[in-house]
Amino acid sequence: RGMRVAVVGAGVSGLTATKCCLDEGLEPTCFEQSQDIGGVWRYTEHIEAGRPSLYPSVISNTSKEMSAFSDFPFPEDFPVFLPNALLLDYLQRYAEHFSLREHIKLGTTVVSIRKHPDFATTGQWNVVTEAGGKQTLHVFDAVMVCSGNFSEPSLPLHCFPGIERFRGQYFHSRQYKHPDVFQGKCVLVVGMGNSGVDIAVEASRVAAKVTISTTRGSWLLSRVFEHGYPWDMVLNTRLMSLIKTNLPRPLPWWFMNYKLNQRFNHENYGLQPERRYFLPVLNDDLPSYILTGRITIKPGVKEFKDNSVVFHNYPEEEPIDIVVFCTGYTFSFPFLEESVIRVENKHASLYKYVFPTHLQKPTLAVLGLIKPLGGIMPVAEMQARWVSRVFKGRGANVSPPASQNAAQTGHILFGLTFDEVLKTEWLVYLDTLASFIGAKPSVLGLLCTDPWLALTIFFGPCSPYQYRLGGPGRWEGARQAILTQWDRVLKPTRTRVPAASSSSF
């Protein structure tokens, strides 16, 4: 009998976890509580309990070449940044291509996951699921938790004095679907993550006035970066990563400060971050909307009054009709015992952001609980490739050395504040996990055998196909996918080429 693995959730992480288990000869069963796959990318008009909620205008923040699963490129005619419906279409194609659906049980909720009585020797888990009102007990050899972190909104009203007497309307960004609710209103958006800025921009097209309240400010990135290329294909390269990780600590910050202020001076727009190491927010419209007065940036909220708000270090009250709290999400695992994943002060101690550090047997892993400055899909896939090999007994030792401190082990922060920048770069994290399974590309080795590919890998974007050039899970199409990545970027945009134009980019 093969090793039986329970996969919780059929979103991005759950789908790739199921596929990676099959690649390793394991027997996955993926439990999805809703009626279809896709997780956060499956839009529904109504908000379902326990499920992520999406607004219809959401577009991916990372480009298709940097977001693809490593052995399944996006279709060349798909746009460079993807509307949520096309990203869902891609996930459905992925599931069909690798025959994942037969391993997925839809409409099935995982009620509890408990250690089997003989866990200390077998590492097995008792998993109780519920479908159609009926509960079933299963025994699994291992578990992959892929339930995501966008289901449980964090709404810390106690941090906002006077909110109980505010007579206007307020809600968490999870409740947001369409901007018509803001028609002619004075709107306050609290928080400046990606959702907060998106909602403020949409609201400003119909509202009388829109204000964003941010305590700490933020760097702002545009999807359209230098020379019109996607931001992540310019910034996430091996050369750039080498520069950022090897320079003395203040220099990468100075470099980032210089790069991001080239487009516009953040201080002049009220956006300059209070501290250095934050994940930037991605939005293409905010600077021009600030310039044209459609959106105003203000400091943190001091208190609410009946029909207005007072900001810190700001004398005047500002009239407000609607407040949108874009205060993030908290992560929880209601189906797990607290002793399995210890969550203290919104921190979870997970080795490499994946394995609970104190389990006797490494037979439970958490995927996708990470927010790097880069595509989450390649990260979740690399986690799944590593975890499935650990389960199979082929992976690296997953016990962190006793001397490792919390930062190296990987503490994850969620809640009112933005997620802190991880101690590791997106590319460094991918390389680390790839080295565990023997899939990290060797630039120096390729320089001798395939110099053009080596140069493309080092100076060009670190697209996920690099991790399929060798090692377990090697894909024959990886080299070609790397050398044609720019063709797939230009295909959907270069729809008119003047007669005198050169065909090069």
Side-chain angles (χ1 to χ4, degrees):
R1 184 176 65 85
M3 188 179 193
R4 299 180 68 235
V5 181
V7 179
V8 184
V12 165
S13 299
L15 290 174
T16 192
T18 304
K19 190 258 186 189
C20 291
C21 282
L22 292 171
D23 288 348
E24 288 298 329
L26 309 179
E27 296 180 10
T29 303
C30 179
F31 300 106
E32 169 55 46
Q33 67 176 354
S34 70
Q35 297 307 314
D36 206 352
I37 65 171
V40 71
W41 293 105
R42 185 169 70 82
Y43 173 77
T44 53
E45 184 62 33
H46 60 286
I47 297 165
E48 299 174 23
R51 268 204 75 235
S53 178
L54 198 67
Y55 40 99
S57 59
V58 167
I59 295 172
S60 67
N61 284 336
T62 51
S63 64
K64 65 178 182 179
E65 292 304 304
M66 303 297 277
S67 304
F69 291 124
S70 58
D71 54 358
F72 195 71
F74 278 88
E76 63 173 12
D77 57 338
F78 273 33
V80 179
F81 290 92
L82 296 131
N84 59 78
L86 281 181
L87 219 153
L88 177 62
D89 180 18
Y90 171 77
L91 294 176
Q92 289 168 337
R93 291 176 188 225
Y94 182 76
E96 299 300 330
H97 182 78
F98 293 108
S99 304
L100 304 183
R101 283 191 180 271
E102 62 198 74
H103 303 279
I104 300 170
K105 294 186 181 297
L106 298 173
T108 306
T109 303
V110 173
V111 177
S112 76
I113 298 174
R114 300 286 183 266
K115 290 178 181 176
H116 194 274
D118 57 2
F119 176 83
T121 53
T122 65
Q124 289 182 325
W125 299 87
N126 287 340
V127 178
V128 177
T129 61
E130 184 174 316
K134 181 186 174 186
Q135 291 198 351
T136 309
L137 171 65
H138 319 257
V139 177
F140 282 97
D141 300 305
V143 175
M144 288 184 175
V145 178
C146 306
S147 50
N149 55 281
F150 294 109
S151 299
E152 197 168 314
S154 173
L155 187 52
L157 295 179
H158 63 277
C159 296
F160 299 97
I163 189 66
E164 68 283 348
R165 63 174 173 166
F166 177 62
R167 293 179 182 173
Q169 181 185 358
Y170 66 84
F171 56 88
H172 189 273
S173 56
R174 183 173 186 267
Q175 306 293 121
Y176 174 73
K177 292 291 180 183
H178 304 284
D180 50 6
V181 67
F182 304 125
Q183 187 74 46
K185 306 283 189 182
C186 293
V187 180
L188 172 65
V189 175
V190 177
M192 206 184 148
N194 289 312
S195 295
V197 175
D198 281 355
I199 291 169
V201 165
E202 285 198 7
S204 72
R205 295 171 185 146
V206 296
K209 185 177 184 182
V210 174
T211 303
I212 295 176
S213 166
T214 173
T215 304
R216 305 196 293 183
S218 180
W219 296 117
L220 197 70
L221 265 176
S222 172
R223 291 178 178 87
V224 185
F225 206 63
E226 290 174 352
H227 308 294
Y229 295 129
W231 72 269
D232 50 357
M233 295 186 79
V234 176
L235 287 181
N236 284 341
T237 69
R238 292 191 174 275
L239 174 63
M240 290 288 281
S241 182
L242 200 66
I243 292 169
K244 283 184 279 186
T245 54
N246 286 283
L247 288 175
R249 194 175 176 89
L251 290 177
W253 177 82
W254 176 87
F255 178 71
M256 188 178 185
N257 189 50
Y258 169 74
K259 274 279 187 193
L260 296 182
N261 275 329
Q262 271 188 315
R263 182 176 169 220
F264 67 94
N265 187 317
H266 283 60
E267 198 167 340
N268 292 346
Y269 284 67
L271 296 172
Q272 184 81 12
E274 292 279 322
R275 286 167 53 201
R276 295 177 175 183
Y277 305 106
F278 281 147
L279 286 175
V281 168
L282 260 109
N283 192 272
D284 305 307
D285 302 310
L286 183 61
S288 63
Y289 279 44
I290 293 172
L291 266 187
T292 53
R294 296 164 85 168
I295 294 176
T296 307
I297 308 295
K298 291 285 176 68
V301 170
K302 184 178 181 183
E303 69 170 318
F304 285 97
K305 300 202 170 176
D306 290 0
N307 301 295
S308 62
V309 64
V310 180
F311 299 104
H312 285 290
N313 307 315
Y314 225 81
E316 306 98 36
E317 292 180 24
E318 185 157 323
I320 293 293
D321 302 309
I322 298 181
V323 182
V324 187
F325 287 102
C326 300
T327 43
Y329 292 81
T330 184
F331 69 102
S332 66
F333 309 98
F335 45 81
L336 285 175
E337 290 176 298
E338 282 186 23
S339 62
V340 175
I341 298 179
R342 292 171 185 158
V343 181
E344 295 174 12
N345 299 322
K346 297 177 183 172
H347 291 56
S349 187
L350 299 167
Y351 178 57
K352 300 299 180 191
Y353 308 95
V354 174
F355 284 100
T357 52
H358 59 281
L359 285 181
Q360 298 154 291
K361 299 278 186 180
T363 56
L364 182 139
V366 181
L367 274 62
L369 268 196
I370 188 171
K371 297 205 83 173
L373 184 58
I376 186 62
M377 284 159 66
V379 170
E381 181 192 35
M382 187 60 75
Q383 290 175 331
R385 290 175 70 185
W386 174 42
V387 168
S388 56
R389 288 184 70 77
V390 168
F391 288 170
K392 190 72 181 274
R394 294 173 174 168
N397 181 7
V398 296
S399 301
S403 61
Q404 276 196 320
N405 61 33
Q408 290 171 305
T409 301
H411 278 293
I412 308 165
L413 290 145
F414 287 86
L416 175 61
T417 58
F418 294 170
D419 301 330
E420 299 284 355
V421 170
L422 300 179
K423 306 299 181 205
T424 52
E425 279 276 303
W426 176 78
L427 198 158
V428 172
Y429 182 74
L430 282 171
D431 273 357
T432 301
L433 299 195
S435 66
F436 288 168
I437 63 170
K440 180 184 172 183
S442 168
V443 177
L444 287 176
L446 284 169
L447 207 52
C448 303
T449 58
D450 196 338
W452 179 241
L453 180 64
L455 294 172
T456 304
I457 283 175
F458 185 73
F459 292 103
C462 182
S463 46
Y465 324 119
Q466 295 187 11
Y467 298 105
R468 292 283 181 179
L469 287 168
R474 183 176 179 273
W475 174 46
E476 290 294 333
R479 181 182 187 275
Q480 184 65 13
I482 293 166
L483 296 178
T484 56
Q485 57 197 358
W486 286 109
D487 297 337
R488 288 188 298 278
V489 170
L490 293 174
K491 169 81 173 177
T493 61
R494 213 173 214 209
T495 50
R496 173 190 164 270
V497 182
S501 169
S502 160
S503 60
S504 68
F505 58 86

